[in-house]
Every structure is written in C-alpha cells, then in structure tokens.
Amino acid sequence: MNTPAKSSQLRITIHLDEKNFPTGIDWDADDRPDGNDPIACKAMLLSLFERDTLDTMKIDLWTTDMQVNEMDRFFFQTLRALADTYFKATQNRDLAVDMQRFVNYFGEKTGIMGES
C-alpha cells in the first residue's frame, strides 16, 4: 500500500439503550466541510472489502425509532446509489441498468416512487 499524502478519520458513535439496542447514531469526519456538530442518523449500512481475505465485513444498524417507511426510503436511496457506484467502478452499463430496473421496481412496490 502506498503512503498516503493525508489521512482523515470518520467517526461513528452508536448510542445504546439498556438492552444494547441502538437509540441513536451520530457520524462525523475530519474533512466534513459543514462540520461543527456530529450529524444524527437513524440507520447505517457499512460494508468493508478486506484487502487480504477478499471478504466483505458489514455492519447494519438502525435505531429503535426507525419506521418501516423510513427503512423503505433508506433502502431505495441506497440501492440507487449502489447501482450508480457499480457503473462508475466497472463501466458495466448492462448490469447497472438491470440493477436500476430493480431499484425502480423496489420503489414502486414500497410506494417510494409515488411520493413527491
């Protein structure tokens, strides 16, 4: 691995209740341009592709007050972003279009596409 010209930290803080269920998620980063206070979130999906094992490690958390319609919106936006990222990384237009078709199907089935 090359020596980086710079490093930056991303911080994720998980607030837990007495049963260890997430009640809050905050994130912050050294290079966040608008950043004073950490930003509160209701859910997170973190996937890391490990260099040596070539395995994906993932952490999926959501707060106790996350509503189903919010989870639908979160997944719709995440799936849409994944399709875009996949195309940027691979230039595989056919598969990216197929992924986007599923995103649209998901959006229609959850009612996200019909919202203004």
Coordinates of all heavy atoms in Angstrom, one line a residue, residues 32-115:
R32 N -15.3 17.0 7.0 CA -16.7 17.4 6.7 C -16.7 18.9 6.5 O -16.4 19.6 7.5 CB -17.6 16.9 7.8 CG -19.0 16.7 7.3 CD -19.9 16.2 8.4 NE -20.6 17.3 9.0 CZ -20.7 17.5 10.3 NH1 -20.3 16.7 11.2 NH2 -21.3 18.6 10.7
P33 N -17.1 19.4 5.3 CA -17.0 20.8 5.1 C -17.9 21.7 5.9 O -17.6 22.8 6.2 CB -17.3 20.9 3.6 CG -18.0 19.7 3.2 CD -17.5 18.6 4.2
D34 N -19.1 21.1 6.3 CA -20.1 21.9 7.0 C -20.0 21.6 8.5 O -20.9 22.0 9.2 CB -21.5 21.6 6.5 CG -21.8 20.1 6.7 OD1 -20.9 19.3 6.9 OD2 -23.0 19.8 6.6
G35 N -18.9 21.0 9.0 CA -19.0 20.3 10.2 C -18.7 21.0 11.5 O -17.5 21.3 11.7
N36 N -19.7 21.2 12.3 CA -19.4 21.5 13.7 C -19.8 20.4 14.5 O -19.0 19.7 15.1 CB -20.2 22.8 14.1 CG -19.8 24.0 13.4 OD1 -18.6 24.1 13.0 ND2 -20.6 25.0 13.2
D37 N -21.1 20.1 14.6 CA -21.6 19.0 15.5 C -21.8 17.8 14.7 O -22.1 17.8 13.5 CB -23.0 19.4 16.1 CG -22.8 20.6 17.0 OD1 -21.8 20.7 17.7 OD2 -23.8 21.4 17.1
P38 N -21.6 16.6 15.3 CA -21.9 15.4 14.6 C -23.3 15.3 14.0 O -24.2 16.0 14.6 CB -21.7 14.3 15.6 CG -20.9 14.9 16.7 CD -21.2 16.4 16.7
I39 N -23.6 14.6 13.0 CA -24.9 14.5 12.3 C -25.6 13.3 12.8 O -25.1 12.2 12.8 CB -24.7 14.5 10.8 CG1 -24.1 15.8 10.3 CG2 -26.1 14.2 10.1 CD1 -23.8 15.8 8.9
A40 N -26.8 13.5 13.3 CA -27.7 12.4 13.8 C -28.3 11.6 12.7 O -28.7 12.2 11.7 CB -28.8 12.9 14.7
C41 N -28.3 10.3 12.8 CA -28.9 9.4 11.8 C -29.8 8.3 12.5 O -29.7 8.1 13.7 CB -27.7 8.6 11.1 SG -26.6 9.7 10.3
K42 N -30.6 7.7 11.7 CA -31.4 6.6 12.2 C -31.0 5.2 11.7 O -31.4 4.2 12.3 CB -32.9 6.8 11.7 CG -33.6 7.9 12.4 CD -35.1 7.9 12.0 CE -35.9 8.7 13.0 NZ -37.3 8.5 12.7
A43 N -30.1 5.2 10.7 CA -29.7 3.8 10.2 C -28.3 4.0 9.5 O -28.0 5.1 9.1 CB -30.7 3.3 9.3
M44 N -27.7 2.9 9.4 CA -26.4 2.8 8.7 C -26.2 1.4 8.1 O -26.6 0.4 8.7 CB -25.2 3.2 9.6 CG -24.9 2.3 10.7 SD -23.4 2.7 11.6 CE -22.3 1.7 10.7
L45 N -25.6 1.4 7.0 CA -25.1 0.2 6.4 C -23.6 0.4 6.0 O -23.3 1.3 5.3 CB -25.8 -0.2 5.1 CG -27.4 -0.3 5.2 CD1 -28.0 -0.4 3.8 CD2 -27.8 -1.4 6.0
L46 N -22.7 -0.4 6.6 CA -21.3 -0.2 6.3 C -20.8 -1.5 5.8 O -20.9 -2.5 6.4 CB -20.6 0.2 7.6 CG -19.1 0.3 7.5 CD1 -18.7 1.5 6.6 CD2 -18.5 0.5 8.9
S47 N -20.2 -1.5 4.6 CA -19.5 -2.6 4.0 C -18.1 -2.3 3.8 O -17.8 -1.3 3.2 CB -20.2 -3.0 2.7 OG -21.5 -3.4 2.9
L48 N -17.2 -3.2 4.2 CA -15.8 -3.0 4.0 C -15.2 -4.3 3.3 O -15.5 -5.4 3.8 CB -15.1 -2.8 5.4 CG -15.6 -1.6 6.2 CD1 -15.0 -1.7 7.6 CD2 -15.1 -0.3 5.5
F49 N -14.5 -4.1 2.2 CA -14.0 -5.2 1.5 C -12.5 -5.4 1.9 O -11.7 -4.5 1.7 CB -14.0 -4.9 0.0 CG -13.7 -6.1 -0.9 CD1 -14.5 -7.3 -0.9 CD2 -12.5 -6.1 -1.6 CE1 -14.1 -8.4 -1.7 CE2 -12.2 -7.2 -2.4 CZ -13.0 -8.3 -2.4
E50 N -12.2 -6.5 2.6 CA -10.9 -6.7 3.2 C -9.9 -7.0 2.2 O -10.1 -7.9 1.3 CB -11.0 -7.7 4.3 CG -11.9 -7.2 5.5 CD -12.1 -8.2 6.6 OE1 -11.5 -9.3 6.5 OE2 -12.7 -7.9 7.6
R51 N -8.8 -6.3 2.3 CA -7.7 -6.5 1.3 C -7.1 -7.9 1.2 O -6.9 -8.4 0.1 CB -6.6 -5.5 1.6 CG -5.4 -5.5 0.7 CD -4.3 -4.5 1.1 NE -4.8 -3.2 1.1 CZ -4.8 -2.4 0.0 NH1 -4.4 -2.9 -1.2 NH2 -5.2 -1.2 0.0
D52 N -6.8 -8.5 2.4 CA -6.1 -9.8 2.4 C -7.1 -11.0 2.1 O -6.7 -11.9 1.4 CB -5.4 -10.0 3.7 CG -4.2 -9.0 3.8 OD1 -3.7 -8.5 2.8 OD2 -3.9 -8.7 5.0
T53 N -8.2 -11.0 2.8 CA -9.1 -12.1 2.7 C -10.1 -12.0 1.5 O -10.7 -13.0 1.1 CB -10.0 -12.3 4.0 OG1 -10.8 -11.1 4.1 CG2 -9.1 -12.5 5.2
L54 N -10.2 -10.8 0.9 CA -11.2 -10.6 -0.1 C -12.6 -10.9 0.3 O -13.5 -11.2 -0.5 CB -10.8 -11.3 -1.4 CG -9.5 -11.1 -2.0 CD1 -9.2 -11.9 -3.2 CD2 -9.2 -9.6 -2.2
D55 N -12.9 -10.7 1.6 CA -14.2 -10.9 2.1 C -14.8 -9.6 2.5 O -14.1 -8.6 2.8 CB -14.2 -11.8 3.4 CG -13.8 -13.2 3.2 OD1 -14.2 -13.7 2.1 OD2 -13.2 -13.9 4.0
T56 N -16.1 -9.5 2.5 CA -16.8 -8.3 2.9 C -17.3 -8.4 4.3 O -18.0 -9.4 4.7 CB -18.0 -8.0 2.0 OG1 -17.6 -7.9 0.6 CG2 -18.8 -6.8 2.4
M57 N -16.9 -7.4 5.1 CA -17.4 -7.3 6.5 C -18.4 -6.2 6.5 O -18.3 -5.2 5.8 CB -16.2 -6.9 7.4 CG -16.5 -7.0 8.9 SD -17.3 -5.6 9.6 CE -16.2 -4.2 9.4
K58 N -19.5 -6.5 7.2 CA -20.6 -5.5 7.1 C -21.2 -5.3 8.5 O -21.2 -6.2 9.3 CB -21.7 -5.8 6.1 CG -22.4 -7.1 6.3 CD -23.3 -7.4 5.1 CE -24.7 -7.8 5.4 NZ -25.5 -7.2 6.2
I59 N -21.7 -4.0 8.7 CA -22.3 -3.7 9.9 C -23.6 -3.0 9.5 O -23.6 -2.0 8.8 CB -21.5 -2.7 10.8 CG1 -20.2 -3.4 11.2 CG2 -22.3 -2.3 12.0 CD1 -19.2 -2.4 11.8
D60 N -24.8 -3.5 9.9 CA -26.1 -2.9 9.6 C -26.7 -2.6 11.0 O -27.0 -3.5 11.8 CB -26.9 -3.9 8.9 CG -26.3 -4.4 7.6 OD1 -25.5 -3.7 7.0 OD2 -26.7 -5.5 7.2
L61 N -27.0 -1.3 11.2 CA -27.7 -0.9 12.4 C -28.8 0.1 12.1 O -28.7 0.9 11.2 CB -26.7 -0.2 13.3 CG -25.5 -1.1 13.9 CD1 -24.6 -0.2 14.7 CD2 -26.1 -2.2 14.8
W62 N -29.8 0.1 12.9 CA -30.9 1.1 12.8 C -31.4 1.3 14.2 O -31.4 0.4 15.1 CB -32.0 0.7 11.8 CG -32.6 -0.6 12.1 CD1 -33.8 -0.9 12.8 CD2 -32.2 -1.9 11.6 NE1 -34.1 -2.2 12.9 CE2 -33.1 -2.9 12.1 CE3 -31.1 -2.4 10.9 CZ2 -33.0 -4.2 11.9 CZ3 -31.0 -3.7 10.6 CH2 -31.9 -4.6 11.1
T63 N -31.9 2.5 14.4 CA -32.4 2.9 15.7 C -33.8 2.3 16.0 O -34.5 1.9 15.1 CB -32.4 4.4 15.9 OG1 -33.3 5.0 14.9 CG2 -31.0 5.0 15.7
T64 N -34.1 2.3 17.3 CA -35.4 1.8 17.7 C -36.6 2.6 17.2 O -37.7 2.1 17.1 CB -35.4 1.7 19.3 OG1 -35.1 3.0 19.8 CG2 -34.5 0.6 19.8
D65 N -36.3 3.8 16.8 CA -37.4 4.7 16.3 C -37.5 4.7 14.8 O -38.3 5.5 14.3 CB -37.4 6.1 16.9 CG -36.1 6.9 16.4 OD1 -35.1 6.2 16.1 OD2 -36.2 8.1 16.5
M66 N -36.7 3.9 14.1 CA -36.8 3.9 12.6 C -38.1 3.2 12.2 O -38.4 2.1 12.6 CB -35.6 3.0 12.1 CG -35.5 3.0 10.6 SD -34.6 4.4 10.1 CE -34.3 3.9 8.4
Q67 N -38.9 4.0 11.4 CA -40.1 3.5 10.9 C -39.9 2.7 9.6 O -39.0 2.9 8.9 CB -41.1 4.7 10.6 CG -41.3 5.5 11.8 CD -42.1 4.8 12.9 OE1 -43.1 4.2 12.6 NE2 -41.6 4.9 14.1
V68 N -40.9 1.8 9.3 CA -40.8 1.0 8.1 C -40.7 1.8 6.8 O -39.9 1.6 5.9 CB -42.0 0.0 8.0 CG1 -42.0 -0.8 6.7 CG2 -41.9 -1.0 9.1
N69 N -41.5 2.9 6.8 CA -41.5 3.7 5.6 C -40.1 4.4 5.5 O -39.6 4.7 4.3 CB -42.6 4.7 5.6 CG -42.6 5.7 6.7 OD1 -42.1 5.4 7.8 ND2 -43.1 6.9 6.4
E70 N -39.5 4.7 6.6 CA -38.2 5.3 6.5 C -37.1 4.3 6.1 O -36.2 4.6 5.3 CB -37.8 5.9 7.9 CG -38.6 7.0 8.3 CD -38.4 7.4 9.8 OE1 -38.2 6.6 10.7 OE2 -38.4 8.7 10.1
M71 N -37.3 3.1 6.5 CA -36.4 2.0 6.1 C -36.6 1.8 4.6 O -35.6 1.6 3.9 CB -36.6 0.7 6.9 CG -35.7 -0.4 6.6 SD -33.9 0.0 7.0 CE -33.9 -0.3 8.7
D72 N -37.8 1.8 4.1 CA -38.0 1.6 2.6 C -37.3 2.7 1.9 O -36.6 2.5 0.9 CB -39.5 1.7 2.3 CG -40.3 0.5 2.7 OD1 -39.7 -0.6 3.0 OD2 -41.5 0.6 2.9
R73 N -37.4 4.0 2.3 CA -36.7 5.1 1.7 C -35.2 4.9 1.7 O -34.5 5.2 0.8 CB -37.2 6.4 2.3 CG -36.4 7.6 1.7 CD -36.9 8.9 2.4 NE -38.3 9.2 2.0 CZ -38.7 9.7 0.8 NH1 -37.8 10.0 -0.1 NH2 -39.9 9.9 0.5
F74 N -34.7 4.5 2.9 CA -33.3 4.3 3.1 C -32.8 3.3 2.1 O -31.7 3.5 1.4 CB -33.0 3.9 4.5 CG -31.6 3.6 4.9 CD1 -30.6 4.5 4.6 CD2 -31.3 2.4 5.5 CE1 -29.3 4.2 5.0 CE2 -30.0 2.1 5.9 CZ -29.0 3.0 5.6
F75 N -33.5 2.2 2.0 CA -33.0 1.1 1.1 C -33.2 1.6 -0.4 O -32.3 1.3 -1.2 CB -33.8 -0.2 1.3 CG -33.0 -1.1 2.2 CD1 -33.1 -0.9 3.6 CD2 -32.2 -2.1 1.7 CE1 -32.3 -1.7 4.5 CE2 -31.5 -2.9 2.6 CZ -31.6 -2.7 3.9
F76 N -34.2 2.2 -0.7 CA -34.4 2.7 -2.1 C -33.2 3.6 -2.5 O -32.6 3.4 -3.5 CB -35.7 3.5 -2.2 CG -35.9 4.2 -3.6 CD1 -36.2 3.4 -4.7 CD2 -35.7 5.5 -3.7 CE1 -36.4 4.0 -5.9 CE2 -35.9 6.1 -4.9 CZ -36.2 5.4 -6.0
Q77 N -32.9 4.6 -1.6 CA -31.8 5.5 -1.9 C -30.4 4.8 -1.9 O -29.6 5.1 -2.8 CB -31.8 6.6 -0.9 CG -33.0 7.5 -1.0 CD -33.1 8.6 0.1 OE1 -32.4 8.5 1.1 NE2 -34.0 9.5 -0.1
T78 N -30.3 3.8 -1.0 CA -29.0 3.0 -1.0 C -28.9 2.2 -2.2 O -27.8 2.1 -2.9 CB -29.0 2.2 0.3 OG1 -29.0 3.0 1.4 CG2 -27.7 1.3 0.3
L79 N -29.9 1.5 -2.6 CA -29.9 0.6 -3.8 C -29.6 1.5 -5.1 O -28.8 1.1 -6.0 CB -31.2 -0.1 -4.0 CG -31.4 -1.2 -2.9 CD1 -32.9 -1.7 -3.0 CD2 -30.4 -2.4 -3.1
R80 N -30.2 2.6 -5.2 CA -30.0 3.5 -6.3 C -28.5 4.0 -6.4 O -27.9 4.0 -7.4 CB -30.9 4.7 -6.2 CG -30.8 5.6 -7.4 CD -31.9 6.7 -7.4 NE -31.8 7.5 -6.2 CZ -32.7 8.3 -5.7 NH1 -33.8 8.6 -6.4 NH2 -32.5 9.0 -4.6
A81 N -28.0 4.3 -5.2 CA -26.6 4.7 -5.1 C -25.6 3.6 -5.5 O -24.6 3.8 -6.1 CB -26.3 5.3 -3.7
L82 N -26.0 2.3 -5.0 CA -25.2 1.2 -5.3 C -25.1 0.9 -6.8 O -24.1 0.6 -7.4 CB -25.7 -0.1 -4.6 CG -25.4 -0.1 -3.1 CD1 -26.1 -1.3 -2.5 CD2 -23.9 -0.3 -2.9
A83 N -26.3 1.1 -7.5 CA -26.3 0.9 -9.0 C -25.4 1.9 -9.6 O -24.6 1.6 -10.6 CB -27.7 1.0 -9.5
D84 N -25.5 3.2 -9.2 CA -24.6 4.2 -9.8 C -23.1 3.9 -9.5 O -22.3 4.1 -10.4 CB -25.0 5.6 -9.2 CG -26.3 6.1 -9.6 OD1 -26.9 5.5 -10.6 OD2 -26.9 7.0 -8.9
T85 N -22.8 3.5 -8.3 CA -21.4 3.3 -7.9 C -20.9 2.1 -8.7 O -19.8 2.1 -9.2 CB -21.3 3.0 -6.4 OG1 -21.7 4.2 -5.7 CG2 -19.9 2.7 -6.0
Y86 N -21.7 1.0 -8.9 CA -21.3 -0.1 -9.6 C -20.9 0.3 -11.1 O -19.9 -0.1 -11.6 CB -22.4 -1.2 -9.6 CG -22.0 -2.4 -10.5 CD1 -21.1 -3.3 -10.0 CD2 -22.5 -2.6 -11.7 CE1 -20.7 -4.4 -10.7 CE2 -22.1 -3.6 -12.5 CZ -21.2 -4.6 -12.0 OH -20.8 -5.6 -12.8
F87 N -21.8 1.1 -11.7 CA -21.4 1.5 -13.0 C -20.2 2.4 -13.1 O -19.3 2.1 -13.9 CB -22.6 2.4 -13.6 CG -22.3 2.9 -15.0 CD1 -22.1 2.0 -16.1 CD2 -22.0 4.2 -15.2 CE1 -21.8 2.5 -17.3 CE2 -21.7 4.7 -16.5 CZ -21.5 3.8 -17.5
K88 N -20.0 3.3 -12.1 CA -18.8 4.1 -12.1 C -17.5 3.3 -12.0 O -16.5 3.5 -12.5 CB -18.8 5.1 -11.0 CG -19.8 6.3 -11.2 CD -19.8 7.2 -10.0 CE -21.0 8.1 -10.1 NZ -21.1 8.9 -8.9
A89 N -17.6 2.2 -11.1 CA -16.5 1.4 -10.8 C -16.2 0.4 -12.0 O -15.0 0.0 -12.2 CB -16.7 0.6 -9.5
T90 N -17.2 -0.1 -12.7 CA -17.0 -1.2 -13.6 C -17.3 -0.8 -15.1 O -16.8 -1.5 -16.0 CB -17.9 -2.4 -13.3 OG1 -19.3 -2.0 -13.5 CG2 -17.7 -2.9 -11.9
Q91 N -18.0 0.2 -15.3 CA -18.5 0.6 -16.6 C -19.3 -0.4 -17.3 O -19.5 -0.5 -18.5 CB -17.3 1.0 -17.6 CG -16.5 2.2 -17.1 CD -17.4 3.5 -17.0 OE1 -18.0 3.9 -18.0 NE2 -17.5 4.1 -15.9
N92 N -19.9 -1.3 -16.5 CA -20.8 -2.4 -17.0 C -22.2 -1.8 -17.1 O -23.0 -2.0 -16.1 CB -20.7 -3.6 -16.1 CG -21.5 -4.8 -16.6 OD1 -22.5 -4.6 -17.4 ND2 -21.1 -6.0 -16.2
R93 N -22.5 -1.2 -18.2 CA -23.8 -0.5 -18.3 C -25.0 -1.4 -18.3 O -26.0 -1.1 -17.7 CB -23.8 0.3 -19.7 CG -25.1 1.1 -19.9 CD -25.0 2.0 -21.1 NE -23.9 2.9 -21.1 CZ -23.9 4.1 -20.4 NH1 -24.9 4.4 -19.7 NH2 -22.8 4.9 -20.4
D94 N -24.9 -2.6 -18.9 CA -26.0 -3.5 -19.0 C -26.4 -4.0 -17.6 O -27.6 -3.9 -17.2 CB -25.6 -4.8 -19.8 CG -25.5 -4.4 -21.3 OD1 -26.0 -3.4 -21.7 OD2 -24.8 -5.2 -22.0
L95 N -25.5 -4.4 -16.8 CA -25.8 -4.8 -15.4 C -26.2 -3.7 -14.5 O -27.2 -3.8 -13.7 CB -24.6 -5.6 -14.8 CG -24.9 -6.4 -13.6 CD1 -26.1 -7.3 -13.8 CD2 -23.7 -7.2 -13.2
A96 N -25.6 -2.5 -14.7 CA -26.1 -1.3 -13.9 C -27.5 -0.9 -14.3 O -28.3 -0.6 -13.4 CB -25.1 -0.2 -14.2
V97 N -27.9 -1.0 -15.6 CA -29.3 -0.8 -16.0 C -30.2 -1.8 -15.4 O -31.3 -1.4 -14.9 CB -29.4 -0.7 -17.5 CG1 -30.8 -0.7 -18.0 CG2 -28.7 0.5 -18.0
D98 N -29.8 -3.1 -15.3 CA -30.6 -4.1 -14.7 C -30.8 -3.8 -13.2 O -31.9 -4.0 -12.7 CB -30.0 -5.5 -14.9 CG -30.2 -6.0 -16.3 OD1 -31.0 -5.5 -17.1 OD2 -29.4 -7.0 -16.6
M99 N -29.7 -3.4 -12.6 CA -29.8 -3.0 -11.1 C -30.8 -1.9 -11.0 O -31.6 -1.9 -10.0 CB -28.4 -2.7 -10.6 CG -27.5 -3.9 -10.5 SD -25.8 -3.4 -10.1 CE -26.0 -3.0 -8.4
Q100 N -30.7 -0.9 -11.8 CA -31.6 0.3 -11.7 C -33.0 -0.1 -11.9 O -33.9 0.5 -11.3 CB -31.1 1.4 -12.7 CG -31.8 2.7 -12.4 CD -31.4 3.3 -11.1 OE1 -30.2 3.3 -10.7 NE2 -32.4 3.7 -10.3
R101 N -33.3 -1.1 -12.8 CA -34.6 -1.6 -13.0 C -35.2 -2.1 -11.7 O -36.4 -1.9 -11.4 CB -34.7 -2.6 -14.1 CG -34.7 -2.1 -15.5 CD -35.0 -3.2 -16.5 NE -34.6 -2.7 -17.8 CZ -33.6 -3.2 -18.5 NH1 -32.8 -4.2 -18.1 NH2 -33.3 -2.7 -19.7
F102 N -34.3 -2.9 -11.0 CA -34.8 -3.4 -9.7 C -35.1 -2.3 -8.7 O -36.0 -2.3 -8.0 CB -33.8 -4.4 -9.1 CG -34.2 -4.8 -7.7 CD1 -35.3 -5.7 -7.6 CD2 -33.6 -4.3 -6.6 CE1 -35.7 -6.1 -6.3 CE2 -34.1 -4.6 -5.3 CZ -35.1 -5.6 -5.2
V103 N -34.2 -1.3 -8.7 CA -34.4 -0.1 -7.8 C -35.8 0.5 -8.1 O -36.6 0.8 -7.2 CB -33.3 0.9 -8.0 CG1 -33.6 2.2 -7.2 CG2 -32.0 0.3 -7.6
N104 N -36.1 0.7 -9.4 CA -37.4 1.2 -9.7 C -38.6 0.3 -9.3 O -39.6 0.8 -8.8 CB -37.5 1.5 -11.2 CG -36.6 2.6 -11.7 OD1 -36.2 3.5 -10.8 ND2 -36.2 2.6 -12.9
Y105 N -38.4 -1.0 -9.5 CA -39.4 -2.0 -9.0 C -39.6 -1.8 -7.5 O -40.7 -1.8 -7.0 CB -38.9 -3.4 -9.4 CG -39.7 -4.5 -8.8 CD1 -41.0 -4.8 -9.3 CD2 -39.2 -5.2 -7.7 CE1 -41.7 -5.9 -8.8 CE2 -40.0 -6.2 -7.1 CZ -41.2 -6.5 -7.7 OH -41.9 -7.6 -7.1
F106 N -38.5 -1.8 -6.8 CA -38.5 -1.7 -5.3 C -39.2 -0.4 -5.0 O -40.1 -0.4 -4.1 CB -37.0 -1.7 -4.8 CG -37.0 -1.6 -3.3 CD1 -36.9 -2.7 -2.5 CD2 -36.9 -0.4 -2.6 CE1 -36.9 -2.7 -1.1 CE2 -36.8 -0.3 -1.3 CZ -36.8 -1.4 -0.5
G107 N -38.9 0.7 -5.6 CA -39.5 2.0 -5.3 C -41.0 2.0 -5.6 O -41.8 2.6 -4.8
E108 N -41.4 1.3 -6.6 CA -42.9 1.2 -6.9 C -43.6 0.3 -5.9 O -44.6 0.7 -5.4 CB -43.1 0.6 -8.3 CG -42.7 1.5 -9.4 CD -42.6 0.9 -10.8 OE1 -43.0 -0.3 -10.9 OE2 -42.2 1.5 -11.8
K109 N -43.0 -0.8 -5.5 CA -43.6 -1.7 -4.6 C -43.7 -1.1 -3.2 O -44.6 -1.5 -2.4 CB -42.8 -3.1 -4.5 CG -43.0 -3.9 -5.7 CD -44.4 -4.4 -5.8 CE -44.6 -5.4 -6.9 NZ -46.0 -5.8 -7.0
T110 N -42.7 -0.3 -2.8 CA -42.8 0.3 -1.5 C -43.5 1.6 -1.5 O -43.7 2.2 -0.4 CB -41.3 0.5 -1.0 OG1 -40.6 1.4 -1.9 CG2 -40.6 -0.8 -0.8
G111 N -43.9 2.1 -2.6 CA -44.6 3.4 -2.7 C -43.6 4.6 -2.7 O -44.1 5.7 -2.7
I112 N -42.3 4.4 -2.7 CA -41.4 5.5 -2.7 C -41.5 6.3 -4.0 O -41.4 7.5 -4.0 CB -39.9 5.0 -2.4 CG1 -39.8 4.3 -1.1 CG2 -38.9 6.1 -2.6 CD1 -40.1 5.1 0.1
M113 N -41.6 5.6 -5.1 CA -41.6 6.2 -6.4 C -42.8 7.2 -6.6 O -42.8 8.1 -7.3 CB -41.6 5.2 -7.5 CG -40.4 4.4 -7.6 SD -39.0 5.2 -8.2 CE -39.3 5.3 -10.0
G114 N -43.9 6.9 -5.9 CA -45.1 7.7 -6.0 C -45.1 8.9 -5.1 O -46.0 9.8 -5.2
E115 N -44.1 9.0 -4.2 CA -44.1 10.2 -3.3 C -43.5 11.4 -4.0 O -42.7 11.3 -5.0 CB -43.2 9.9 -2.1 CG -43.7 8.8 -1.2 CD -42.8 8.5 -0.1 OE1 -41.7 9.2 0.1 OE2 -43.1 7.6 0.7

